[in-house]
């Protein structure tokens, strides 16, 4: 059974850094696109950054130049390095994973979320 384990959230001051990790536990065939989203109370989940199977990246305008998404396919892990954090980055961050199962089925899975709090 496949599980996603997110970690790395926490509380930092403005200008600080955090690195989020999203680990895929379990046996899969291939790890495809992975995206990071965030959500604040009363608002819809919004895309923060994404990385394709081949490493192509995309970023929301509000994190460009501050956040970096990377992946380690051997470890089935995707990272989100967050620098120059601002109070408005405070949210629950979720990873969304697309993968191909060992039976050849395409799956989409959400992580449980990790809280990031940035204080001024």
């Amino acid at each position: 059974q496949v599980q996603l384990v997110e970690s790395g959230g926490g509380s930092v001051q403005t200008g600080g850094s955090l690195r989020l990790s999203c680990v895929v536990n379990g046996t899969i065939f291939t790890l495809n696109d992975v995206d990071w989203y965030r959500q604040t109370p009363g608002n819809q989940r919004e895309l923060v950054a994404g990385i394709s199977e081949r490493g192509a990246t995309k970023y929301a305008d509000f994190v460009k130049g501050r956040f970096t998404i990377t992946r380690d396919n051997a470890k089935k892990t995707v990272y989100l390095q967050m620098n120059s954090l601002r109070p408005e980055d405070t949210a629950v961050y979720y990873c969304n994973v697309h993968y191909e199962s060992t039976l050849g089925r395409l799956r989409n899975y959400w992580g449980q979320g990790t809280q990031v709090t940035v204080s001024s």
Side-chain angles (χ1 to χ4, degrees):
Q1 185 174 354
V2 174
Q3 290 184 325
L4 297 185
V5 178
E6 296 179 19
S7 62
S11 296
V12 296
Q13 292 188 330
T14 298
S17 298
L18 288 171
R19 188 176 81 155
L20 306 184
S21 298
C22 176
V23 181
V24 180
N25 286 329
T27 303
I28 62 173
F29 185 64
T30 59
L31 180 62
N32 297 332
D33 295 357
V34 179
D35 299 313
W36 282 98
Y37 286 77
R38 69 186 188 187
Q39 188 172 26
T40 54
N43 294 308
Q44 290 189 333
R45 208 166 283 189
E46 59 182 0
L47 179 67
V48 175
I51 187 165
S52 73
E53 180 183 358
R54 296 190 177 186
T57 59
K58 58 183 177 183
Y59 297 95
D61 287 343
F62 52 78
V63 302
K64 282 182 180 176
R66 300 189 298 124
F67 291 10
T68 303
I69 187 170
T70 58
R71 62 190 287 157
D72 184 332
N73 289 331
K75 294 182 178 180
K76 295 182 291 182
T77 301
V78 173
Y79 305 97
L80 184 67
Q81 178 66 44
M82 305 187 296
N83 299 329
S84 302
L85 283 163
R86 305 166 181 169
E88 53 265 39
D89 294 319
T90 296
V92 178
Y93 285 72
Y94 298 88
C95 66
N96 180 241
V97 172
H98 298 261
Y99 68 91
E100 183 176 352
S101 72
T102 55
L103 296 178
R105 295 173 180 170
L106 298 179
R107 299 291 188 191
N108 177 240
Y109 217 97
W110 286 92
Q112 80 282 2
T114 185
Q115 176 70 47
V116 171
T117 303
V118 185
S119 58
S120 56

